[in-house]
Amino acid sequence: MVYFDQGQFDLCCEWGLCGVQQLAPPDVIVVIDVLSFTTSVDVALGRGATVLPYRWKDDSASQYARERNAELASPRNRFEGKYSLAPSSLIDVPSGLRLVLPSPNGSSLAFAAISNGAVVLAGCLRNASAVATWARQAGKRIAVVPAGERWPDGTLRPAVEDLVGAGAVLRALPGRRSPEAQLAVAAFEDFAVDLRARLLLCSSGRELVERGFGRDVELAAQLNVSTVAPVLRGDAFTAA
């Protein structure tokens, strides 16, 4: 549908998997999942680990991890293993660890993009500048995709933290922005006054704090503290 492909712009922004499918083919896709997957990827890669995206954890995820000689992480709401979707669980991962990190949002989106043909990056607030720098070198047409969350019925819930994270990356990129991309930049510029407080007050942040994962919000709110640009090479994110 050409109405929705944002094809006349260098910098595009659209939500979730359906958004990626509607956008004109980009050179680079930047997946944004600020309070979960992409912040976890940044933290893990900063310690020298490798992260393999996968769909939500099910029986096939265990087999996928075994076939790739990797450890399978747990969902954040369970503590079955040492590592999970919580970024705070990954701050001490050993260098060389291969970790399959499933989730229904950012990880599923990255997994689906493996066969897309574009360069795929994992962006968040922590590495926004580094990811933008690498994206500029990888291509001119860049799609930044906030993953969002899920309502109980499984439908996409646009999440303010992912819009803000998308804006942080887009603000650092040259080129003509679509209106959707410009809105993301405006959201970031508004939140940048106090990222930590705003993320703690947004719906997703409040949920994590009430569930005992406030440390994850604190880690996710740190702007440009990382020089890691996670690039999906084959089936795994490694540091560029």
Side-chain angles (χ1 to χ4, degrees), residues 40-184:
S40 293
V41 170
D42 174 76
V43 171
L45 266 59
R47 295 283 301 175
T50 298
V51 173
L52 291 78
Y54 197 66
R55 298 178 294 267
W56 185 249
K57 186 176 181 182
D58 56 16
D59 291 341
S60 68
S62 298
Q63 180 178 350
Y64 188 82
R66 286 195 301 271
E67 290 173 349
R68 286 155 181 81
N69 193 30
E71 187 164 340
L72 178 61
S74 300
R76 179 160 27 197
N77 60 345
R78 291 194 224 156
F79 299 93
E80 303 162 349
K82 192 172 184 180
Y83 309 117
S84 78
L85 270 171
S88 57
S89 75
L90 305 174
I91 56 177
D92 293 318
V93 296
S95 179
L97 174 72
R98 289 173 53 83
L99 185 67
V100 173
L101 193 60
S103 85
N105 303 311
S107 188
S108 292
L109 190 57
F111 184 78
I114 287 174
S115 60
N116 181 278
V119 174
V120 180
L121 297 166
C124 60
L125 291 167
R126 295 172 56 87
N127 65 12
S129 179
V131 165
T133 297
W134 212 92
R136 282 199 302 269
Q137 299 168 354
K140 180 180 178 182
R141 180 171 167 74
I142 301 169
V144 181
V145 184
E149 296 292 337
R150 297 285 169 178
W151 291 110
D153 66 359
T155 56
L156 175 69
R157 175 175 71 81
V160 66
E161 66 274 9
D162 292 344
L163 184 65
V164 169
V169 174
L170 285 160
R171 189 174 185 270
L173 288 168
R176 189 179 178 210
R177 298 170 185 154
S178 71
E180 292 82 358
Q182 186 58 48
L183 178 63

Side-chain angles (χ1 to χ4, degrees), residues 2-74:
V2 295
Y3 299 114
F4 307 112
D5 71 0
Q6 302 179 37
Q8 66 270 51
F9 303 100
D10 301 315
L11 307 176
C12 307
C13 183
E14 194 52 86
W15 290 92
L17 179 60
C18 290
V20 170
Q21 293 168 342
Q22 296 295 337
L23 293 174
D27 301 315
V28 181
I29 297 173
V30 183
V31 176
I32 307 288
D33 188 353
V34 165
L35 289 182
S36 188
F37 178 72
T38 56
T39 293
S40 293
V41 170
D42 174 76
V43 171
L45 266 59
R47 295 283 301 175
T50 298
V51 173
L52 291 78
Y54 197 66
R55 298 178 294 267
W56 185 249
K57 186 176 181 182
D58 56 16
D59 291 341
S60 68
S62 298
Q63 180 178 350
Y64 188 82
R66 286 195 301 271
E67 290 173 349
R68 286 155 181 81
N69 193 30
E71 187 164 340
L72 178 61
S74 300

